Amino acid sequence: GVKHLLSSSDGEHIENKDFTRKHEKQLAFLQQQLARRKKFGSNWNKTKKKIQKLHSKIARCRKDYFHKV
């Protein structure tokens, strides 16, 4: 990975945050549920959508942080 997110010309470094750490338990739980579902069944599709929503949320958090920095 990247050690510093941003290094300015005056020597200031902004660290790279790990946004998945906050949601890793929920993500692991959903992925485990998905693995136990019958592939392409209705419950599998519901769980897949939940995982997609969580990944989108993590991406939005990352994008918001980059924008604020």
Side-chain angles (χ1 to χ4, degrees), residues 23 26 52-62:
H23 303 285
Q26 186 180 6
Q52 289 171 345
K53 278 180 80 172
L54 188 58
H55 277 296
S56 295
K57 183 176 183 174
I58 293 167
R60 284 193 313 272
C61 290
R62 187 180 299 119

Side-chain angles (χ1 to χ4, degrees), residues 11-27:
E12 180 186 357
H13 298 293
I14 296 176
E15 296 299 319
N16 196 12
K17 288 179 97 177
D18 185 18
F19 292 95
T20 56
R21 193 166 304 262
K22 183 178 179 183
H23 303 285
E24 67 185 358
K25 283 186 180 180
Q26 186 180 6
L27 187 61

Side-chain angles (χ1 to χ4, degrees), residues 4-64:
H4 301 292
L5 174 69
L6 179 75
S7 296
S8 65
S9 60
D10 62 346
E12 180 186 357
H13 298 293
I14 296 176
E15 296 299 319
N16 196 12
K17 288 179 97 177
D18 185 18
F19 292 95
T20 56
R21 193 166 304 262
K22 183 178 179 183
H23 303 285
E24 67 185 358
K25 283 186 180 180
Q26 186 180 6
L27 187 61
F29 176 75
L30 287 172
Q31 287 174 337
Q32 192 175 49
Q33 273 190 333
L34 185 70
R36 292 177 177 161
R37 306 268 190 231
K38 184 179 176 187
K39 201 166 190 180
F40 302 113
S42 60
N43 287 326
W44 185 87
N45 285 325
K46 289 177 198 174
T47 308
K48 184 83 170 164
K49 285 203 187 267
K50 286 180 185 178
I51 293 171
Q52 289 171 345
K53 278 180 80 172
L54 188 58
H55 277 296
S56 295
K57 183 176 183 174
I58 293 167
R60 284 193 313 272
C61 290
R62 187 180 299 119
K63 187 175 180 180
D64 180 57

